[in-house]
Amino acid sequence: MIAAAASPLQFELRCTQCGAVPAASAGIIACAVCGGLLAYELDASARIDADGYRATLRARRSSIEHVDRSGVWRFRELLPPLQPGKIVTLREGDVPLYEARGGGDYARASHVRYLHLGMNPTGSFKDFGMTVAISHARAGGASVAVCASTGNTSSAMAAYAARAGMRAAVLLPDGGISEAKLAQTLDYGAQAIAIAGDFDAALEMVRSLDPIRFALVNSVNPLRIEGQKTTAFVMLEASDFKVPDWVILPGGNLGNSSALGKGFREAKALGLTAKVPRLAVVQAEGASPLVRAFETGEDLRPVKAQTTATAIKIGAPASWRKSLSEVRASNGTVIAVSDEEIGDARAVIGAEGIGCEPASAASLAGLRKLIAQGTVRAGDDVVLVLTGHMLKDTAYAAGYHAGGARFSNPIVRAANASEVRARLDALLQ
Ligand code: F0G
């Protein structure tokens, strides 16, 4: 394992609403005083030797140790401390930053890239957070992990719990998640419990459980956020610490936007970067309570969520306050896009050989809208966060291509060899 040029940083677990410091930290999810979400606050005076740390990161990227290569644990000094022997990793987080030529043309923007978090071991961004949450849960003696999920959290939880030798259970909206995500969750050995309600009802149920008996690994768990904040570090590292103008990502329960905002703020506070990018959170129109809260300045009013992008079909997002505060701190914005816009954007990303699941494409649909309305300029440096792999929802993709939509690529049928040849010849034209 490659040692760092920096020593571990000091964090204090504190309530994000009233500032109270909990008496014990193990497994605690909510503030005992006001019920608010907790966060690991970085000591404001903390600084690191940026050049030395960058050199450490370079060395770790060429190491053969999983904890060095992991795009989460490579930054272990910037996370709440954990003994190295306690880490449960699948070498997550070392994801690519791709040029987005097709997406750039589609949005009429000249400098667009995709950070593809779908290129993680379980195919979504959840692995960033889950490796940290499960590692700490096991180190603290927990034997059962639980979550509510639209399918990606449950897949990641199931995989990491299996690696940790823990049991896992997920509450799912019955019939409301993609077949691939359900199959993955079952395959990795979690107990799936289908409920009659939606994600919001499932989350309410798991939040009422005793966190000492059941390790809750939804993004209300501050350790999930710590893991996911390293997404920001991976993005910066891949651009040699040049900060993009905009980072655009889909929003559901709003943990990930909270995490990225925290990561960029900490990178600046530590002296790794000189500024933070502007954050744009994109919701599906039928599940966009944050848009209203952003525009009116009022508290979030939950909605009954409706969208074909099932991953973000969430009407009462738990982390809305944190997400909104990160958006505002970055001078960012929040917008909604229609299911049709999500479908077309997803097909554009697929057609350039990259692909993603529907919810992820909200980022490109959002960029297109932000360019059209003049919020983002055509020459701005933009990173679109793709949160899940294309294979996460194949039924959606197959339906899109069969359904005659704008960018659909339907199957053609050939009755005999000469029809096959004619089809092939047409491709030479
Ligand atoms: N994109 C994908 C592919 C997701 O699976 C999710 C959330 C989001 C975006 C939204 O992220 O909740 O942090 O704002 N999926 C959760 C799950 C809810 O259970 O898998 P968020």
Side-chain angles (χ1 to χ4, degrees), residues 35-59:
L37 295 179
L38 304 175
Y40 286 89
E41 293 298 335
L42 177 62
D43 171 2
S45 65
R47 297 286 177 278
I48 53 174
D49 162 15
D51 288 339
Y53 200 60
R54 284 184 200 130
T56 298
L57 296 174
R58 269 196 301 280

Side-chain angles (χ1 to χ4, degrees), residues 124-126 148-154 181 199 218-219 224 228 250-257 311-312 314 357 359-360 387-389:
S124 87
F125 72 99
K126 305 289 184 179
S149 184
T150 55
N152 280 328
T153 300
S154 59
K181 295 174 188 175
F199 170 86
N218 279 105
S219 58
R224 275 276 312 276
Q228 285 171 215
N253 207 26
L254 300 173
N256 209 29
S257 40
I312 51 173
I314 295 171
E357 71 166 280
S360 309
T387 45
H389 197 278

Side-chain angles (χ1 to χ4, degrees), residues 307-325:
T307 168
T308 51
T310 54
I312 51 173
K313 191 176 165 192
I314 295 171
S319 295
W320 72 268
R321 281 182 203 278
K322 286 203 281 175
S323 176
L324 202 52
S325 123

Side-chain angles (χ1 to χ4, degrees), residues 40-381:
Y40 286 89
E41 293 298 335
L42 177 62
D43 171 2
S45 65
R47 297 286 177 278
I48 53 174
D49 162 15
D51 288 339
Y53 200 60
R54 284 184 200 130
T56 298
L57 296 174
R58 269 196 301 280
R60 285 182 180 166
R61 286 203 304 273
S62 56
S63 160
I64 57 166
E65 302 283 344
H66 284 193
V67 292
D68 288 336
R69 287 283 283 278
S70 162
V72 175
W73 299 106
R74 171 156 95 227
F75 304 97
R76 51 192 175 268
E77 294 75 17
L78 314 189
L79 294 172
L82 179 72
Q83 283 172 21
K86 304 280 187 191
I87 291 173
V88 182
T89 177
L90 287 162
R91 228 204 73 182
E92 57 291 312
D94 205 13
V95 296
L97 186 62
Y98 294 126
E99 289 295 322
R101 289 186 211 101
D105 289 348
Y106 179 66
R108 299 202 162 82
S110 58
H111 195 4
V112 184
R113 289 169 295 168
Y114 301 122
L115 186 72
H116 204 330
L117 311 185
M119 299 299 184
N120 262 304
T122 78
S124 87
F125 72 99
K126 305 289 184 179
D127 296 349
F128 274 89
M130 204 55 74
T131 182
V132 176
I134 291 287
S135 296
H136 279 267
R138 186 182 65 171
S143 60
V144 182
V146 294
C147 71
S149 184
T150 55
N152 280 328
T153 300
S154 59
S155 300
M157 173 191 68
Y160 284 86
R163 300 299 295 172
M166 290 171 64
R167 307 187 73 181
V170 52
L171 269 63
L172 302 164
D174 200 1
I177 77 167
S178 82
E179 203 171 86
K181 295 174 188 175
L182 178 59
Q184 229 186 337
T185 300
L186 297 174
D187 218 47
Y188 300 149
Q191 172 71 70
I193 304 172
I195 66 156
D198 55 13
F199 170 86
D200 300 303
L203 185 63
E204 205 179 308
M205 282 186 210
V206 293
R207 287 180 85 177
S208 71
L209 297 171
D210 174 0
I212 304 298
R213 294 181 65 214
F214 298 103
L216 179 57
V217 295
N218 279 105
S219 58
V220 291
N221 180 333
L223 291 160
R224 275 276 312 276
I225 302 299
E226 289 304 297
Q228 285 171 215
K229 83 181 181 189
T230 69
T231 309
F233 306 155
V234 168
M235 188 191 302
L236 292 170
E237 192 186 33
S239 317
D240 214 12
F241 291 88
K242 184 175 174 298
V243 180
D245 297 309
W246 284 93
V247 171
I248 304 182
L249 75 166
N253 207 26
L254 300 173
N256 209 29
S257 40
S258 309
L260 262 83
K262 186 173 195 287
F264 287 121
R265 271 194 297 111
E266 288 181 1
K268 178 167 177 265
L270 291 169
L272 282 168
T273 52
K275 63 166 193 169
V276 298
R278 299 174 74 179
L279 286 183
V281 176
V282 188
Q283 298 200 292
E285 266 171 12
S288 56
L290 192 72
V291 175
R292 194 181 165 279
F294 176 72
E295 287 173 356
T296 62
E298 291 170 16
D299 278 6
L300 181 130
R301 270 199 225 152
V303 299
K304 177 91 191 130
Q306 202 46 260
T307 168
T308 51
T310 54
I312 51 173
K313 191 176 165 192
I314 295 171
S319 295
W320 72 268
R321 281 182 203 278
K322 286 203 281 175
S323 176
L324 202 52
S325 123
E326 297 297 352
V327 166
R328 293 208 197 283
S330 77
N331 191 24
T333 192
V334 185
I335 59 162
V337 293
S338 69
D339 281 0
E340 193 185 351
E341 289 170 314
I342 289 175
D344 288 343
R346 201 205 63 84
V348 168
I349 298 165
E352 58 185 316
I354 289 176
C356 63
E357 71 166 280
S360 309
S363 56
L364 176 58
L367 171 63
R368 189 164 187 263
K369 205 162 185 171
L370 290 168
I371 292 268
Q373 70 189 37
T375 309
V376 176
R377 287 171 307 179
D380 281 351
D381 181 359

Side-chain angles (χ1 to χ4, degrees), residues 387-398:
T387 45
H389 197 278
M390 187 268 156
L391 293 173
K392 284 286 194 172
D393 197 345
T394 51
Y396 181 102

